[in-house]
Amino acid sequence: MGSEKFLCDYATRVGENYGQRFPKVVVLGQEGRSYHPEHTIPVDDIKNENNLHYRRTLYTLVKLFTGKEPDNESTAALKQYNEYLTEFCLTNYYKCAFAPSEESVSKLKHSEAMQEHCGLLLLEELNLLQPDLLIVQGKFVSSWLRDNLIDQEAVVYQNKNASVALYHHHNDPSRYVLDSYHPTGCGGWWLKTKQDLMNALCKFRSEEKTKF
């Protein structure tokens, strides 16, 4: 038993209303793997004040779908918008890992093999999901994005240092990739660039205004 390893994977969570209206949006993060993966968006998680990732993701979705910002990031301010949690997909760049126990899996660091091969699985996922907008949360795959998804010559919006930027997809100009910071990342960069993120979403809505 001491040498037993748990194979823990991260299931893409697909909202029950994904694809029912424009835009189809996939959020890509660098999350901990789960021994009990869920395949649907756990709407109840938004009720947890400690789940800053979900609250800030929902805040982002509200801006995307409505063009307006919630009053603040609190659960009380966001609960009226829970419906938007059913309209997007949440996935992870890293797909699986072996761990000594199910409790230790969330603290595992990714390996070089994962970094190389998980991107291939992600491309297959995106091919199936066909999102209009991919929102990347975090700077962990910046070089992979440049090589596989974005057209750096087709910048739709970027802030001063290009740390938040909206691009056209490299082989489909009708699709977009938004490169941004993770809502719970170190250094508070999500808050520091929050307005840039909101501006990028406004630009997306402006570019595709006939579809909203």
Side-chain angles (χ1 to χ4, degrees), residues 31-184:
E31 317 307 330
R33 271 72 61 188
S34 171
Y35 188 60
H36 300 291
E38 301 174 61
H39 291 271
T40 56
I41 304 297
V43 176
D44 286 345
D45 279 7
I46 203 67
K47 299 175 184 176
N48 181 354
E49 286 283 1
N50 295 321
N51 198 328
L52 187 60
H53 181 204
Y54 265 84
R55 284 191 284 119
R56 287 181 172 173
T57 296
L58 179 54
Y59 190 103
T60 301
L61 292 170
V62 173
K63 180 67 173 181
L64 171 65
F65 283 113
T66 71
K68 301 176 182 179
E69 293 182 45
D71 293 337
N72 55 62
E73 300 173 7
S74 70
T75 299
L78 290 169
K79 64 181 180 181
Q80 63 181 303
Y81 303 110
N82 273 2
E83 63 182 284
Y84 297 113
L85 290 174
T86 70
E87 299 193 19
F88 83 113
C89 293
L90 177 66
T91 192
N92 184 33
Y93 182 83
Y94 299 110
K95 302 301 179 186
C96 64
F98 286 94
S101 69
E102 60 183 272
E103 288 80 14
S104 65
V105 67
S106 64
K107 298 180 181 179
L108 287 177
K109 294 186 179 297
H110 64 270
S111 66
E112 290 184 7
M114 290 167 63
Q115 185 163 338
E116 177 181 357
H117 297 294
C118 286
L120 299 176
L121 296 175
L122 175 61
L123 289 176
E124 290 296 323
E125 283 184 331
L126 296 177
N127 187 49
L128 290 172
L129 294 168
Q130 291 291 307
D132 301 300
L133 175 64
L134 174 67
I135 300 177
V136 181
Q137 296 179 328
K139 299 299 178 177
F140 54 96
V141 289
S142 294
S143 60
W144 181 87
L145 279 178
R146 290 192 295 270
D147 292 341
N148 293 279
L149 286 183
I150 62 176
D151 181 352
Q152 290 186 281
E153 301 300 319
V155 180
V156 181
Y157 168 87
Q158 64 182 17
N159 62 357
K160 289 183 179 179
N161 63 0
S163 62
V164 175
L166 179 66
Y167 302 91
H168 283 292
H169 191 281
H170 74 98
N171 63 5
D172 185 349
S174 69
R175 297 166 63 191
Y176 297 78
V177 179
L178 175 52
D179 188 13
S180 64
Y181 287 97
H182 195 281
T184 62

